[in-house]
Amino acid sequence: MKVAVVGAWHVHTKEYAEAIKNNPHTELACVWDSDRERGEAFAKEFGIPFSAELETIWSDPSIAGVQITTATCEHHDVLIAAAKAGKHIFTEKVLAFTNEEAKEIADAVRASGVKFTISYPHKTWPTLLGAKQLVESGKLGEITYARVRDAHNGSTGDWLPPHFYDASQTGGGAMIDLGAHPMYTLNWFMGEPKSVVSMFTQVTNRGVEDNAVSVIEFANGAIGVSETGFVTTGMPYVLEMSGTQGSLMVHNDILEYCCEETDNKLVEKTDLPNALPLPVDAWIDAVVNGGEAPNGIDDAVALTKFMVGAYESFKTGKRYCF
């Protein structure tokens, strides 16, 4: 199928476009961007046409799908237009700035019947799939605490693009960007949130938070901690989970756990599941061969809900109740 790249704004735009270009079932049709210079540069690099008007993409029946990697502030209008045009959608996180916008997008996607995937790549990792198996097996008992830390040195290393610090485009800083991974992981493992309290700070003083923590209360009394930042070097990812009968930890691509069957000693889990296809490839397969696309619109709406709560807590300095 032909796929149009809608937006060359995101840092992962080229990564997804390469995946579409290299997939035997797809080809890149064209690119549009609200910044013509940026869009034309991308088109030249990938050897595809630049489309100056979005309507050209929406009205082209040969284009079956779209990769939406615009600025987040453009998601609402672009995603709704794509759904109404009947284009299958692969998009980057987050879905929208508000719950109201997320609902409007979701309504359009559901009404259109298109295949929709939002990029949650951590859910494809063998270590996290193995952790999910352990939790669902009941060996750890009832989960009472989870901490997910995902951080890098994008600010201190000065390699993130300047527009990633423009809150009008991004909606925030580290939490709404990189912090999406801990948030959707906590949702995946822990379910619906009850309340959240946030602490965001600025280390490099670029106008948005680059060091952030949100503490989330879940319905059963469990606590989840979402940690992220653009000012960390080394140990970029950690997952810790504790239950009434055991615990686990993921770090450096290793999953360790302890419970009754290990005599409560921490051991490495070596029989990990195979990695799942990356979301963009799984989306292509769902469109071309049928089946359910992963990380659908309900998952996308849920992430927006977590983020809205996290930012409202920070802005007000109070606990936010969902």
Side-chain angles (χ1 to χ4, degrees):
M1 69 170 177
K2 289 185 177 181
V3 178
V5 176
V6 178
W9 176 90
H10 204 279
V11 292
H12 293 308
T13 299
K14 293 181 182 179
E15 173 187 334
Y16 300 140
E18 287 284 0
I20 292 167
K21 180 180 178 181
N22 294 331
N23 192 298
H25 298 296
T26 47
E27 64 175 282
L28 293 173
C30 61
V31 59
W32 169 90
D33 194 276
S34 55
D35 183 318
R36 188 180 186 106
E37 182 178 351
R38 182 170 60 205
E40 288 181 339
F42 182 93
K44 182 178 180 181
E45 181 177 350
F46 278 81
I48 57 177
F50 173 74
S51 178
E53 301 293 335
L54 263 178
E55 185 55 41
T56 303
I57 293 173
W58 305 148
S59 61
D60 187 341
S62 73
I63 296 174
V66 287
Q67 168 195 313
I68 295 181
T69 38
T70 65
T72 310
C73 64
E74 297 173 327
H75 273 194
H76 175 265
D77 293 348
V78 170
L79 283 161
I80 289 175
K84 288 183 176 179
K87 308 301 184 185
H88 300 290
I89 297 168
F90 174 80
T91 189
E92 179 57 283
K93 57 182 175 38
V94 296
L95 183 67
F97 290 161
T98 69
N99 291 322
E100 292 75 18
E101 285 187 340
K103 182 181 184 304
E104 289 172 359
I105 295 167
D107 288 346
V109 168
R110 294 188 185 108
S112 70
V114 300
K115 303 279 187 178
F116 174 97
T117 289
I118 193 166
S119 187
Y120 293 173
H122 291 191
K123 292 172 70 173
T124 70
W125 292 359
T127 48
L128 265 62
L129 294 169
K132 185 74 169 171
Q133 286 182 347
L134 281 172
V135 169
E136 292 181 344
S137 73
K139 293 177 181 179
L140 307 185
E142 182 180 1
I143 300 302
T144 55
Y145 177 82
R147 168 181 170 258
V148 190
R149 177 169 181 80
D150 193 17
H152 58 53
N153 68 342
S155 290
T156 48
D158 202 28
W159 53 262
L160 281 172
H163 57 250
F164 262 54
Y165 304 105
D166 181 351
S168 68
Q169 296 185 57
T170 62
M175 183 56 78
I176 203 167
D177 176 53
L178 194 61
H181 297 295
M183 287 297 196
Y184 70 66
T185 299
L186 288 170
N187 179 223
W188 188 34
F189 278 95
M190 312 285 277
E192 285 289 304
K194 184 177 179 181
S195 68
V196 60
V197 177
S198 297
M199 174 66 75
F200 300 167
T201 64
Q202 294 187 40
V203 176
T204 59
N205 298 312
R206 296 173 189 249
V208 294
E209 83 280 355
D210 53 19
N211 204 25
V213 177
S214 293
V215 180
I216 303 158
E217 174 193 12
F218 291 89
N220 65 347
I223 294 172
V225 182
S226 172
E227 299 181 16
T228 191
F230 296 156
V231 291
T232 294
T233 298
M235 194 61 74
Y237 186 89
V238 177
L239 165 66
E240 301 175 8
M241 299 192 76
S242 299
T244 54
Q245 297 177 34
S247 301
L248 65 80
M249 173 179 282
V250 173
H251 61 100
N252 294 334
D253 296 324
I254 294 171
L255 168 58
E256 296 178 304
Y257 74 105
C258 64
C259 60
E260 184 178 355
E261 74 174 24
T262 71
D263 294 325
N264 292 315
K265 296 177 181 178
L266 201 62
V267 300
E268 181 178 354
K269 183 173 176 61
T270 56
D271 58 336
L272 296 176
N274 293 327
L276 294 177
L278 288 172
V280 63
D281 291 313
W283 169 72
I284 292 168
D285 182 69
V287 173
V288 174
N289 298 316
E292 186 175 352
N295 313 322
I297 193 63
D298 291 341
D299 297 306
V301 169
L303 176 58
T304 298
K305 180 179 179 179
F306 274 70
M307 284 299 179
V308 168
Y311 276 88
E312 284 299 311
S313 173
F314 168 66
K315 291 172 184 175
T316 63
K318 300 176 182 179
R319 176 189 297 233
Y320 176 89
C321 294
F322 293 95

